[in-house]
Structure formats: C-alpha cells, structure tokens
Amino acid sequence: MPTEKTFHFLHQSGNPLVLYNIWDAGSAEAVARAGAKALATGSASVAGALGYPDGEAVPLDTLLHVVARIRAVSDLPLSVDFEAGYGETPGEIADNAARLEDLGVAGINLEDGIPPESGIRPAAEHAERIAAIRARTALFINARTDLFLQNPPDTHAALLPEAHERAAIYAEAGADGFFAPGLTEPALIRDLCENCSLPVNIMASPAAPSIAELAGLKVARVSFGPFPWRDAMASLAQAASEQLGQRA
C-alpha cells in the first residue's frame, strides 16, 4: 500500500493516530523503536535542535536535509511540519511541498497562522495554498488553524464557529485533516470532531485531556508538538547539571 494511503488509513475517529514528534534522525530512530506507527516532525523542535527560533527561520534546504536524514533511517510514514509553506505564493508553496513528496514524505502540516505568530491568514487565502498543493501532490494535507493557539482559552468557545467555517473551506480546497492546536476544553473538542468532515488533530499538552479522553471525544490524531523536544532538553540539562556538579 502506498505510503500516503497508509497514512490516510491511520486517521480514525475515536482511535487516534498518536504522533510523538521528532526533530532529527536520532529521535526518529528512538520513536520508531518505541513502536510508532508513523513519524512527525515539529517545527519548533527541528528549529531548536538546529539553533534557530521557530517560525520558518530554518532555511528550506536545511529542513529538506533533516527530512532526508530521517527518511534514511526509517521507512515509517512521515509527516513534516511545513509551517506556512516557506513561500509567498501558492505556486511557490506547492513547489516546496513537491520537493518534500520527492523525498518520500507522506504528509504535511500547513498552518494558517502567519509565522512567527503574527496573526491569522484569511481562510480563502489559506485555501488557495491548500488547493495548489493538492493539485501538485498526493500528500496528506493537515490544515492547521492557529485560532486557538494565538488566543486565550476564555475566547475559544466564541472562536469555534470560525474554526468550523475554516475546516469546511479547507476541506473544500482539498485538505485531508484539520489541526486545532491549543484547543483543550473537552466540550469544544467534541463539538469540533462531531461537526467536522475532516479527521481532527489535537495537540497533547499539559492542559489537554489524556489520549484516552481524546479518543472518547472522537479525535482522529494526537500530536505532541514541541513537548518531546523540550522534555528531552530538560532531561539533558538536568543530567549534565548533576554530573558537572560532582567533585572529585
């Protein structure tokens, strides 16, 4: 079964695909050994591991090199956090996505936020980018909305109708999934899942429900974003501090 079709099949409402996000070939191997069904990069994690800030600061060719190294060590379906597409026009973004597909990537995240967290792109404009990628590739396009990530939790209920509208527009443009990072309220997550034609992706975070709870809310995909990288770096710093603090 082609990689793209395999990746599509893994998105099942109520039985979510769990993606413990990686940032390089070494982390890809570790997560694969742990039993992952698929792999996914996180933009903040890749950027941080390379010494860049998040928000498309990593040069595209550098990102492609990281992706190539991940593909060299694992044949699991791979989704790449493509941020806003690394281009100014739909055509440029589609060309960039095609380069990822040529490396054997199965899917991408494409966000409607303007990097780095500089507002939200109009839905119609984001849909044009999705449509351009759809016309060029068979990639699983996980259309990400930054509505909830860029606004405080007490506004999320009021933002939900716009999220529904964006999901419908993105689906019409050819998206395969809808990603709503930052949304953590169970009732709102259930509403989104029950009223969205696309598989819904929620980001696991300290404030989010557990994976089991998200499955009960009909989530189809759970990803961890920057948290695995942050935890790994915190563990490294702690271990180094303990060893460097020793005295002969």
Side-chain angles (χ1 to χ4, degrees), residues 15-228:
N15 182 27
L17 169 64
V18 178
L19 296 171
Y20 199 75
N21 295 76
I22 60 171
W23 53 92
D24 61 10
S27 58
E29 288 186 304
V31 172
R33 285 196 302 270
K37 295 180 180 179
L39 300 173
T41 66
S43 65
S45 308
V46 172
L50 293 168
Y52 290 96
D54 196 16
E56 292 192 2
V58 177
L60 178 60
D61 285 344
T62 301
L63 174 63
L64 293 171
H65 175 73
V66 170
V67 169
R69 292 308 309 150
I70 293 170
R71 292 293 298 147
V73 302
S74 176
D75 60 2
L76 288 173
L78 173 64
S79 181
V80 172
D81 191 337
F82 196 37
E83 302 194 67
Y86 285 81
E88 294 299 322
T89 68
E92 290 173 351
I93 291 167
D95 288 343
N96 294 339
R99 294 177 70 184
L100 284 171
E101 188 175 46
D102 288 344
L103 292 173
V105 169
I108 57 171
N109 287 349
L110 187 71
E111 65 195 51
D112 59 15
I114 302 169
E117 293 197 1
S118 300
I120 310 293
R121 201 176 305 279
E125 185 178 325
H126 192 60
E128 290 177 358
R129 297 173 171 219
I130 293 169
I133 295 172
R134 178 80 298 136
R136 286 286 306 277
T137 78
L139 292 167
F140 185 105
I141 303 172
N142 198 30
R144 167 177 147 173
T145 184
D146 280 6
L147 283 174
F148 305 110
L149 202 59
Q150 292 194 25
N151 290 284
D154 62 1
T155 67
H156 288 181
L159 290 170
L160 195 60
E162 182 178 350
H164 284 306
E165 182 179 2
R166 284 178 178 265
I169 291 170
Y170 300 164
E172 180 68 21
D176 302 287
F178 188 66
F179 185 19
L183 187 63
T184 59
E185 171 58 43
L188 300 183
I189 292 172
R190 181 183 294 279
D191 186 297
L192 182 62
C193 292
E194 291 181 346
N195 294 284
C196 182
S197 65
L198 297 172
V200 172
N201 180 185
I202 294 295
M203 185 168 69
S205 71
S210 69
I211 292 174
E213 290 171 322
L214 290 172
L217 297 173
K218 306 303 182 184
V219 170
R221 172 169 166 172
V222 178
S223 50
F224 281 74
F227 296 105

